[in-house]
mmCIF file of all heavy atoms in Angstrom:
data_model
loop_
_atom_site.group_PDB
_atom_site.id
_atom_site.type_symbol
_atom_site.label_atom_id
_atom_site.label_comp_id
_atom_site.label_asym_id
_atom_site.label_seq_id
_atom_site.Cartn_x
_atom_site.Cartn_y
_atom_site.Cartn_z
ATOM 1 N N ALA A 164 55.432 95.633 32.194
ATOM 2 C CA ALA A 164 55.755 95.502 33.624
ATOM 3 C C ALA A 164 55.003 96.546 34.447
ATOM 4 O O ALA A 164 54.432 96.240 35.499
ATOM 5 C CB ALA A 164 57.264 95.656 33.823
ATOM 6 N N THR A 165 54.964 97.759 33.948
ATOM 7 C CA THR A 165 54.257 98.836 34.648
ATOM 8 C C THR A 165 52.769 98.506 34.785
ATOM 9 O O THR A 165 52.160 98.695 35.834
ATOM 10 C CB THR A 165 54.446 100.164 33.900
ATOM 11 O OG1 THR A 165 55.853 100.465 33.849
ATOM 12 C CG2 THR A 165 53.706 101.302 34.580
ATOM 13 N N SER A 166 52.190 97.960 33.723
ATOM 14 C CA SER A 166 50.768 97.596 33.755
ATOM 15 C C SER A 166 50.497 96.505 34.789
ATOM 16 O O SER A 166 49.514 96.567 35.532
ATOM 17 C CB SER A 166 50.322 97.103 32.375
ATOM 18 O OG SER A 166 50.608 98.057 31.395
ATOM 19 N N LEU A 167 51.378 95.512 34.844
ATOM 20 C CA LEU A 167 51.189 94.418 35.810
ATOM 21 C C LEU A 167 51.301 94.948 37.239
ATOM 22 O O LEU A 167 50.534 94.553 38.117
ATOM 23 C CB LEU A 167 52.216 93.317 35.567
ATOM 24 C CG LEU A 167 52.186 92.642 34.187
ATOM 25 C CD1 LEU A 167 53.200 91.495 34.133
ATOM 26 C CD2 LEU A 167 50.795 92.159 33.816
ATOM 27 N N ALA A 168 52.221 95.895 37.437
ATOM 28 C CA ALA A 168 52.362 96.505 38.774
ATOM 29 C C ALA A 168 51.110 97.295 39.135
ATOM 30 O O ALA A 168 50.600 97.217 40.263
ATOM 31 C CB ALA A 168 53.592 97.401 38.805
ATOM 32 N N LYS A 169 50.573 98.021 38.172
ATOM 33 C CA LYS A 169 49.360 98.816 38.441
ATOM 34 C C LYS A 169 48.154 97.916 38.711
ATOM 35 O O LYS A 169 47.189 98.327 39.363
ATOM 36 C CB LYS A 169 49.083 99.757 37.267
ATOM 37 C CG LYS A 169 50.071 100.929 37.197
ATOM 38 C CD LYS A 169 49.784 101.857 36.045
ATOM 39 C CE LYS A 169 50.737 103.057 36.056
ATOM 40 N NZ LYS A 169 50.541 103.928 34.854
ATOM 41 N N ALA A 170 48.233 96.668 38.234
ATOM 42 C CA ALA A 170 47.155 95.704 38.509
ATOM 43 C C ALA A 170 47.399 94.987 39.836
ATOM 44 O O ALA A 170 46.605 94.113 40.223
ATOM 45 C CB ALA A 170 47.053 94.693 37.371
ATOM 46 N N GLY A 171 48.509 95.340 40.528
ATOM 47 C CA GLY A 171 48.731 94.817 41.870
ATOM 48 C C GLY A 171 49.918 93.902 42.040
ATOM 49 O O GLY A 171 50.250 93.499 43.165
ATOM 50 N N ALA A 172 50.586 93.549 40.940
ATOM 51 C CA ALA A 172 51.695 92.585 41.049
ATOM 52 C C ALA A 172 52.926 93.226 41.693
ATOM 53 O O ALA A 172 53.152 94.433 41.550
ATOM 54 C CB ALA A 172 52.058 92.061 39.660
ATOM 55 N N THR A 173 53.722 92.385 42.375
ATOM 56 C CA THR A 173 55.072 92.781 42.799
ATOM 57 C C THR A 173 55.984 92.515 41.612
ATOM 58 O O THR A 173 55.952 91.424 41.039
ATOM 59 C CB THR A 173 55.522 91.946 44.013
ATOM 60 O OG1 THR A 173 54.685 92.275 45.122
ATOM 61 C CG2 THR A 173 56.982 92.235 44.361
ATOM 62 N N LEU A 174 56.752 93.550 41.234
ATOM 63 C CA LEU A 174 57.500 93.496 39.985
ATOM 64 C C LEU A 174 58.960 93.104 40.171
ATOM 65 O O LEU A 174 59.647 93.622 41.041
ATOM 66 C CB LEU A 174 57.445 94.888 39.349
ATOM 67 C CG LEU A 174 57.406 94.995 37.831
ATOM 68 C CD1 LEU A 174 56.454 94.010 37.222
ATOM 69 C CD2 LEU A 174 57.085 96.408 37.431
ATOM 70 N N ILE A 175 59.379 92.165 39.336
ATOM 71 C CA ILE A 175 60.798 91.800 39.247
ATOM 72 C C ILE A 175 61.174 92.003 37.779
ATOM 73 O O ILE A 175 60.541 91.417 36.885
ATOM 74 C CB ILE A 175 61.025 90.323 39.626
ATOM 75 C CG1 ILE A 175 60.441 90.030 41.023
ATOM 76 C CG2 ILE A 175 62.504 89.965 39.562
ATOM 77 C CD1 ILE A 175 59.879 88.636 41.160
ATOM 78 N N VAL A 176 62.150 92.889 37.517
ATOM 79 C CA VAL A 176 62.519 93.139 36.132
ATOM 80 C C VAL A 176 63.970 92.771 35.886
ATOM 81 O O VAL A 176 64.804 92.806 36.779
ATOM 82 C CB VAL A 176 62.281 94.610 35.722
ATOM 83 C CG1 VAL A 176 60.816 94.995 35.878
ATOM 84 C CG2 VAL A 176 63.170 95.553 36.496
ATOM 85 N N ASN A 177 64.202 92.400 34.659
ATOM 86 C CA ASN A 177 65.534 91.949 34.249
ATOM 87 C C ASN A 177 66.015 92.766 33.057
ATOM 88 O O ASN A 177 65.208 93.279 32.261
ATOM 89 C CB ASN A 177 65.458 90.480 33.847
ATOM 90 C CG ASN A 177 66.435 90.144 32.733
ATOM 91 O OD1 ASN A 177 66.067 90.188 31.545
ATOM 92 N ND2 ASN A 177 67.679 89.896 33.099
ATOM 93 N N ASP A 178 67.316 92.850 32.931
ATOM 94 C CA ASP A 178 67.926 93.329 31.699
ATOM 95 C C ASP A 178 69.335 92.758 31.637
ATOM 96 O O ASP A 178 69.885 92.324 32.650
ATOM 97 C CB ASP A 178 67.956 94.863 31.634
ATOM 98 C CG ASP A 178 68.091 95.345 30.192
ATOM 99 O OD1 ASP A 178 69.237 95.428 29.714
ATOM 100 O OD2 ASP A 178 67.060 95.603 29.554
ATOM 101 N N ILE A 179 69.905 92.794 30.447
ATOM 102 C CA ILE A 179 71.284 92.293 30.290
ATOM 103 C C ILE A 179 72.290 93.376 30.689
ATOM 104 O O ILE A 179 73.436 93.081 31.007
ATOM 105 C CB ILE A 179 71.512 91.843 28.828
ATOM 106 C CG1 ILE A 179 72.788 91.016 28.711
ATOM 107 C CG2 ILE A 179 71.492 93.023 27.878
ATOM 108 C CD1 ILE A 179 72.961 90.342 27.366
ATOM 109 N N SER A 180 71.812 94.630 30.705
ATOM 110 C CA SER A 180 72.704 95.754 31.027
ATOM 111 C C SER A 180 72.475 96.253 32.445
ATOM 112 O O SER A 180 71.357 96.675 32.797
ATOM 113 C CB SER A 180 72.456 96.914 30.045
ATOM 114 O OG SER A 180 72.864 98.144 30.601
ATOM 115 N N LYS A 181 73.510 96.225 33.274
ATOM 116 C CA LYS A 181 73.427 96.718 34.667
ATOM 117 C C LYS A 181 73.084 98.194 34.689
ATOM 118 O O LYS A 181 72.226 98.647 35.439
ATOM 119 C CB LYS A 181 74.755 96.457 35.389
ATOM 120 C CG LYS A 181 74.763 96.815 36.879
ATOM 121 C CD LYS A 181 76.083 96.354 37.516
ATOM 122 C CE LYS A 181 76.033 96.498 39.044
ATOM 123 N NZ LYS A 181 76.021 97.918 39.464
ATOM 124 N N GLU A 182 73.716 98.953 33.806
ATOM 125 C CA GLU A 182 73.491 100.406 33.777
ATOM 126 C C GLU A 182 72.043 100.734 33.398
ATOM 127 O O GLU A 182 71.373 101.531 34.060
ATOM 128 C CB GLU A 182 74.432 101.057 32.758
ATOM 129 C CG GLU A 182 74.323 102.574 32.702
ATOM 130 C CD GLU A 182 75.143 103.178 31.570
ATOM 131 O OE1 GLU A 182 75.776 102.406 30.811
ATOM 132 O OE2 GLU A 182 75.125 104.419 31.435
ATOM 133 N N LYS A 183 71.551 100.058 32.348
ATOM 134 C CA LYS A 183 70.164 100.323 31.936
ATOM 135 C C LYS A 183 69.187 99.911 33.031
ATOM 136 O O LYS A 183 68.167 100.566 33.258
ATOM 137 C CB LYS A 183 69.841 99.601 30.630
ATOM 138 C CG LYS A 183 70.475 100.223 29.399
ATOM 139 C CD LYS A 183 69.968 99.559 28.133
ATOM 140 C CE LYS A 183 70.642 100.162 26.896
ATOM 141 N NZ LYS A 183 70.190 99.482 25.642
#
Side-chain angles (χ1 to χ4, degrees):
T165 300
S166 305
L167 300 184
K169 287 180 177 175
T173 294
L174 214 44
I175 305 146
V176 300
N177 147 267
D178 201 275
I179 194 170
S180 157
K181 185 173 189 291
E182 183 187 1
K183 286 187 182 178

